Amino acid sequence: MEGDFKIGRPGGQMPFFAAWPEGGGPFRAVLIYMDLFGPRDEVRDFCRQFAAHGFVAVLHNMFYRLGAPIFEPANGRDDPVDPRALEAGEATTVEMALEDTNALIDALDGGLLGVGITSFGAIGYCMGGRHALAACARRSDRVKAGLSVHGGKLVREDGVSPHSLIQDVTVPFHFALAEDDPTCPDTHQLLIEQTARETGPHISCQKYAAHHGWSFPARWSYDADVADKIWTKAFDMFASMPNDARTAAPSAP
């Protein structure tokens, strides 16, 4: 089962794509936080992959306040990134993403898809890594596990750095770091690893022998072996989340 939906928000209509197993559930759900280029077909396929493994999966366009653009990925190692995508990523703050997370949780708990939801997981790719981290730090009442997959700009020197949220995470969280990642260089990775150790064993970090963006089959940096390892890690983490059924009033999607 799958479909496109919208939720009315103060910044405009927030579109999201969802895929889920047949039947009324209840199911565990996964919130997918997109990369810088938006919720294109290859990321929608991530939703379908999670649904095939028994999860409800939701992917929203985090740039809806800017008109919900989707950008063409830079598909060569030295290809420049569309400056409009960079601007959109900078304009979409962690606080904005948390507002979106709250809206999605409320909508799914309220039965928008016509299925019951037990608990949520969060997974973010590239730009989305910091937003998945924030979801686990701020909504641990419902978000019970998370992953940052080759997350970018997790450490910042201006304002509040996203990595500082690690100390507020009380649920299992995994940082999948890339050996070759200009958006999260070694100095940043060392700081993330140090903060994770100080926080507790529920925060894990692993550096994978791959390039930033290894998850995306259409990208130059795709690495099937490492991508498969992360799929296995995500399935295991999310399958281990609490399965406490919540009462909802399902409505037909």
Side-chain angles (χ1 to χ4, degrees):
M1 305 285 289
E2 63 180 57
D4 290 289
F5 305 87
K6 289 184 179 180
I7 299 174
R9 304 288 299 133
Q13 292 289 314
M14 181 173 72
F16 71 92
F17 174 77
W20 64 97
E22 291 186 357
F27 303 110
R28 298 174 177 90
V30 178
L31 302 173
I32 299 176
Y33 296 85
M34 68 189 204
D35 68 338
L36 189 66
F37 303 111
R40 57 206 180 276
D41 286 343
E42 64 179 340
V43 192
R44 286 175 169 238
D45 284 343
F46 292 175
C47 289
R48 298 181 179 107
Q49 182 89 324
F50 278 116
H53 282 75
F55 301 96
V56 173
V58 175
L59 169 71
H60 74 290
N61 190 320
M62 301 177 70
F63 297 155
Y64 69 91
R65 297 172 181 86
L66 304 172
I70 297 175
F71 301 99
E72 185 69 24
N75 205 20
R77 185 184 183 93
D78 299 319
D79 288 353
V81 175
D82 189 327
R84 297 172 300 170
L86 294 171
E87 292 172 3
E90 287 295 310
T92 304
T93 66
V94 167
E95 290 75 18
M96 290 176 180
L98 280 170
E99 293 173 0
D100 300 343
T101 297
N102 291 335
L104 288 167
I105 290 173
D106 288 347
L108 269 66
D109 276 345
L112 176 62
L113 300 181
V115 298
I117 305 295
T118 61
S119 53
F120 291 84
I123 185 167
Y125 300 86
C126 306
M127 178 193 78
R130 58 185 179 270
H131 301 302
L133 175 63
C136 289
R138 295 289 182 258
R139 286 304 311 265
S140 59
D141 60 314
R142 296 296 287 129
V143 183
K144 299 301 183 180
L147 297 90
S148 168
V149 183
H150 42 75
K153 297 187 177 180
L154 291 163
V155 177
R156 301 186 66 124
E157 295 181 359
D158 58 325
V160 178
S161 179
H163 89 280
S164 65
L165 291 164
I166 295 172
Q167 61 191 356
D168 297 327
V169 175
T170 58
V171 300
F173 196 90
H174 181 67
F175 288 95
L177 307 169
E179 282 190 357
D180 176 20
D181 192 344
T183 73
C184 189
D186 288 344
T187 53
H188 292 186
Q189 293 187 19
L190 288 171
L191 184 54
I192 291 167
E193 291 167 348
Q194 177 184 344
T195 308
R197 286 194 300 271
E198 294 171 351
T199 301
H202 60 289
I203 310 292
S204 60
C205 302
Q206 186 169 345
K207 182 178 290 191
Y208 296 84
H211 301 286
H212 176 82
W214 73 64
S215 300
F216 302 106
R219 300 285 302 282
W220 72 271
S221 51
Y222 179 61
D223 188 309
D225 290 339
V226 178
D228 286 345
K229 290 178 182 177
I230 299 306
W231 277 114
T232 299
K233 181 74 173 180
F235 293 148
D236 289 347
M237 289 183 69
F238 295 148
S240 298
M241 295 189 304
N243 195 27
D244 301 325
R246 283 211 160 192
T247 301
S251 58

